[in-house]
Amino acid sequence: MSLKASELILNEDGSIYHLGLLPHEIADTVITVGDPARVERISAYFDKIEITRMKREFCTHTGLLDGKRITVMSTGMGTDNIDIALTELDALANIDLQKKEVKNDLRALDIIRIGTTGSIREDIALDSFLVSELAMGFDGLMHFYESDSFLQADYAEEFVKQTNWSSKKAYPYVVEGSGRLIEKFSSKDTVKGFTATNIGFYGPQGRVLRNSIPEADMNQNIAAFSLNGRSITNLEMETSGIYGMSKLLGHHAVSMNAVLANRATGEFSADPGKLVDNLIKYCLERIVA
């Protein structure tokens, strides 16, 4: 059955609507970053850059490193952009754009987020690398899809009970990353975490400048949650969306986080640029290994 033109939207050159890409322009390994400027910081390590595209906040470079083809793409910040980016990446991989039909043989991508995060636990050191095993989303994205088969309902239900989570907010959901990729990117140089994904940077993460928030102890309540020996370790803005959309579409995902802030101690990295560059190099070494 052909997809309607209003559902699968293409540009005049046949490229996918928001990303501006054609199917042959993405690799099986895709690195996602929030900041468009970070794309060039990563592709600078490539031996060869084949493709560069820029459309809206979506900057994409595809190239080769040690013979491995890699795509690095910016998504902008937030799970709303992740919904667009991962849906269109999947369309490039698994839909015949000319026929507007889903392919019979589906392609699974490896998706690696390289991003920054703030720890909410004193024992997670500043400037460390955190691998997200689980992600709890406060954004509501997965509730717009048929996702119950893979969501960890027990964690969400117990979180709501323990924290008295307000019904005015989106009901949380919990999803696992790819076990294979988590193992591949974990080492003695990383810590494993349970990541909370928030829908904003200030109020949704408990930051107060001029606007007041109704729960001044929100982060402390999130940090106090525990189930099956697991506690939430850090806050950021994309991981739950990446994990959820990847599960829905049959892709593999891992979120790699540079811990540049410790919200529990109030500290911030003295050299966040160097920290991110070190994480980039670490991830590229694991990708081509």
Side-chain angles (χ1 to χ4, degrees):
M1 182 178 68
S2 295
L3 296 165
K4 295 178 181 178
S6 61
E7 311 304 294
L8 176 63
I9 306 171
L10 304 178
N11 299 308
E12 289 185 3
D13 63 355
S15 63
I16 198 75
Y17 186 53
H18 296 94
L19 303 185
L21 294 168
L22 295 165
H24 69 277
E25 295 178 329
I26 64 164
D28 288 337
T29 298
V30 180
I31 297 170
T32 67
V33 296
D35 183 1
R38 196 173 294 157
V39 172
E40 189 173 357
R41 288 172 67 180
I42 296 175
S43 67
Y45 292 100
F46 291 180
D47 300 317
K48 178 183 179 182
I49 298 175
E50 300 175 349
I51 294 148
T52 61
R53 291 285 182 275
M54 185 76 194
K55 194 167 189 286
R56 306 189 187 204
E57 59 266 69
F58 303 108
C59 176
T60 307
H61 292 185
T62 296
L64 295 172
L65 177 61
D66 292 352
K68 187 172 183 67
R69 196 164 186 252
I70 302 168
T71 292
V72 54
M73 183 182 74
S74 63
T75 62
M77 294 181 287
T79 55
D80 50 349
N81 282 354
I82 294 301
D83 178 60
I84 293 169
L86 266 70
T87 298
E88 293 195 2
L89 275 175
D90 178 76
L92 291 168
N94 292 315
I95 295 176
D96 185 319
L97 299 187
Q98 293 183 334
K99 294 181 179 178
K100 293 185 180 289
E101 294 177 353
V102 176
K103 296 176 182 178
N104 291 324
D105 297 322
L106 299 180
R107 177 180 168 196
L109 305 174
D110 281 355
I111 299 169
I112 301 102
R113 173 188 181 265
I114 298 179
T116 58
T117 193
S119 168
I120 57 171
R121 315 201 75 81
E122 291 186 13
D123 59 342
I124 295 180
L126 209 62
D127 297 335
S128 59
F129 299 160
L130 185 145
V131 185
S132 302
E133 292 187 299
L134 287 169
M136 179 177 288
F138 299 137
D139 52 280
L141 176 60
M142 283 302 101
H143 301 315
F144 290 91
Y145 293 100
E146 294 288 349
S147 57
D148 289 348
S149 63
F150 60 79
L151 296 181
Q152 307 290 309
D154 54 339
Y155 281 102
E157 291 169 4
E158 188 61 26
F159 177 84
V160 170
K161 291 178 184 176
Q162 289 188 24
T163 62
N164 293 316
W165 193 247
S166 172
S167 61
K168 293 180 180 179
K169 300 174 183 174
Y171 194 87
Y173 63 88
V174 178
V175 59
E176 293 179 311
S178 163
R180 174 176 62 80
L181 290 184
I182 289 168
E183 181 178 357
K184 181 180 178 68
F185 284 85
S186 298
S187 73
K188 63 179 178 59
D189 298 316
T190 63
V191 295
K192 290 181 178 177
F194 185 169
T195 296
T197 296
N198 307 71
I199 59 168
F201 186 77
Y202 289 99
Q205 293 191 37
R207 287 184 172 91
V208 176
L209 299 184
R210 290 206 319 119
N211 289 326
S212 60
I213 59 175
E215 298 175 54
D217 57 352
M218 181 180 69
N219 285 354
Q220 291 91 327
N221 289 337
I222 292 172
F225 164 74
S226 179
L227 181 65
N228 300 329
R230 291 177 179 268
S231 299
I232 293 173
T233 53
N234 62 301
L235 309 176
E236 53 74 70
M237 293 176 61
E238 289 92 34
T239 299
S240 66
I242 292 171
Y243 282 8
M245 295 301 294
S246 295
K247 288 282 189 183
L248 281 168
L249 296 166
H251 303 297
H252 306 279
V254 65
S255 178
M256 300 297 295
N257 302 267
V259 180
L260 53 71
N262 189 304
R263 301 296 303 286
T265 64
E267 297 174 294
F268 193 82
S269 175
D271 195 343
K274 181 180 178 181
L275 174 63
V276 171
D277 284 338
N278 287 342
L279 180 59
I280 288 168
K281 288 184 281 188
Y282 175 89
C283 291
L284 289 175
E285 288 170 0
R286 294 271 155 173
I287 287 170
V288 300

